[in-house]
Amino acid sequence: MPSNDKLFAYNLGQIVPLSEARLHVSDLSVQRGYGVFDFVKVQQGCPLFLDEYLDRFYQSAQLMHLEVPLSREELKQVIADLIERNQLPEAGMKMILTGGYSEDGFTPMNPNLLITQLPLTLPSPEKVAKGIPIMTHDYVREVPEVKTINYSMGIRLLQEQKASGAEEVLYAKNGIVSEFPRCNFFLVTHDDTVVTPAKNILKGITRKNVLTLAGRRYKTEVRDIRLEEVLQAKECFLTSTTKRVLPIVRVDDILIGTGKPGEVSLQLLQDLVDLENEQVAALKSK
């Protein structure tokens, strides 16, 4: 596996060594934190569910009035070139589209596109078997349907999160839960109905896949979830590209269910792993 100083990135129209990738200080990502991004998992050299991630990336750009400087096919080719050059067996591919070099530090100009690929470590079997504690915070993310680069609240809460022993922060506004800074939220009711919030969320690709998989085994619902319902749930778990399905065993000071990962969460994790492996096999057979 190559070290980070031997990796390549796409930077403003060309592939360069990662160590040479640069943005000017006038870029709106620096000046105002304005931009969007998306993140694709690469497994055995295959970008998983790439079309869905590209759909969301282009939609985020459109909603923020930014034009991606590459067509979908050109973007796919750059991703393929980086995968070939970097030779990382398991990695994350991050596409970042910024507001561009602004003359007044406020008005978007021609967007800048950067793509990096770095090694990825998934949650260990031990972490999955133990589950994680989380905390809640009264907040709803600005423009939640867009994957922006603005993670100020989640980063600001890191010290409080660490002090409480929590691994993630679940946003809840007026008693209605929404999402984590980087993950989607699910709960399992006592009749094994799998439920996920309907609004004020980024619609994750893993969330979509897990909903589909859950629908093959259980009843599913997409609706508002009140915080009291979370605390009384049989199981809770989060989903994301990098964490797959990760059981939640404590919310603030309240144990969830038995205080251990539940059968539904673990079953859906296995179903997701199987789906990813099927995707790899399909891509390799092309």
Side-chain angles (χ1 to χ4, degrees):
M1 181 184 299
S3 61
N4 285 5
D5 59 355
K6 295 181 180 179
L7 294 177
F8 291 87
Y10 180 85
N11 181 223
L12 312 183
Q14 57 185 334
I15 292 179
V16 300
L18 177 62
S19 60
E20 297 177 13
R22 297 287 187 273
L23 274 180
H24 191 268
V25 69
S26 65
D27 194 277
L28 276 187
S29 63
V30 178
Q31 294 285 337
R32 305 288 178 181
Y34 196 82
V36 300
F37 81 103
D38 224 303
F39 187 92
V40 180
K41 183 161 67 175
V42 178
Q43 189 169 306
Q44 298 180 44
C46 299
L48 300 184
F49 314 109
L50 180 58
D51 282 321
E52 287 113 314
Y53 285 98
L54 292 182
D55 286 344
R56 188 173 64 182
F57 183 57
Y58 280 90
Q59 181 185 42
S60 290
Q62 182 181 28
L63 290 172
M64 296 297 279
H65 309 295
L66 299 173
E67 184 176 351
V68 181
L70 298 180
S71 69
R72 285 178 72 102
E73 290 309 310
E74 290 171 334
L75 189 47
K76 283 184 175 182
Q77 187 58 56
V78 169
I79 289 170
D81 290 347
L82 286 175
I83 290 172
E84 178 64 27
R85 288 191 185 220
N86 288 327
Q87 291 294 308
L88 292 172
E90 198 153 56
M93 186 80 69
K94 180 179 284 188
M95 304 171 288
I96 305 171
L97 186 69
T98 76
Y101 297 154
S102 176
E103 295 178 357
D104 61 5
F106 191 79
T107 305
M109 300 296 287
N110 294 326
N112 287 318
L113 177 64
L114 302 92
I115 307 175
T116 61
Q117 185 185 13
L118 294 172
L120 176 66
T121 301
L122 298 170
S124 67
E126 292 76 19
K127 176 169 285 191
V128 172
K130 186 177 180 181
I132 64 166
I134 67 168
M135 60 175 275
T136 59
H137 184 73
D138 186 60
Y139 180 69
V140 64
R141 193 165 58 86
E142 185 180 15
V143 205
E145 67 272 19
V146 176
K147 198 169 177 69
T148 71
I149 62 172
N150 181 1
Y151 279 64
S152 296
M153 180 58 75
I155 294 170
R156 187 173 73 80
L157 289 170
L158 282 173
Q159 287 188 344
E160 182 180 343
Q161 178 184 320
K162 183 178 180 180
S164 73
E167 291 213 19
E168 298 287 343
V169 178
L170 177 61
Y171 295 148
K173 190 68 177 178
N174 299 322
I176 304 294
V177 302
S178 55
E179 60 183 0
F180 301 90
R182 298 174 294 174
C183 310
N184 287 116
F185 175 77
F186 284 78
L187 65 75
V188 181
T189 66
H190 288 271
D191 66 355
D192 285 349
T193 299
V194 178
V195 190
T196 194
K199 60 188 180 184
N200 289 328
I201 63 162
L202 181 75
K203 293 182 178 179
I205 309 305
T206 306
R207 169 186 178 270
K208 174 186 173 183
N209 287 334
V210 168
L211 266 175
T212 299
L213 293 167
R216 298 174 184 174
R217 295 181 181 273
Y218 314 103
K219 181 183 176 184
T220 62
E221 294 179 353
V222 180
R223 58 170 172 79
D224 286 350
I225 300 174
R226 296 200 63 83
L227 185 55
E228 306 92 85
E229 187 179 2
V230 174
L231 302 180
Q232 296 167 7
K234 180 182 178 183
E235 302 177 33
C236 294
F237 61 89
L238 58 77
T239 63
S240 78
T241 303
T242 59
K243 294 180 173 63
R244 286 177 166 154
V245 174
L246 190 55
I248 296 165
V249 295
R250 179 167 61 82
V251 177
D252 293 328
D253 296 324
I254 306 296
L255 287 179
I256 301 301
T258 63
K260 297 179 181 179
E263 292 181 2
V264 175
S265 304
L266 297 177
Q267 179 63 64
L268 290 174
L269 172 58
Q270 185 58 56
D271 290 347
L272 180 62
V273 171
D274 292 344
L275 179 64
E276 290 180 350
N277 290 335
E278 290 170 11
Q279 172 92 171
V280 169
L283 291 170
K284 284 185 174 294
S285 68
K286 287 184 177 180

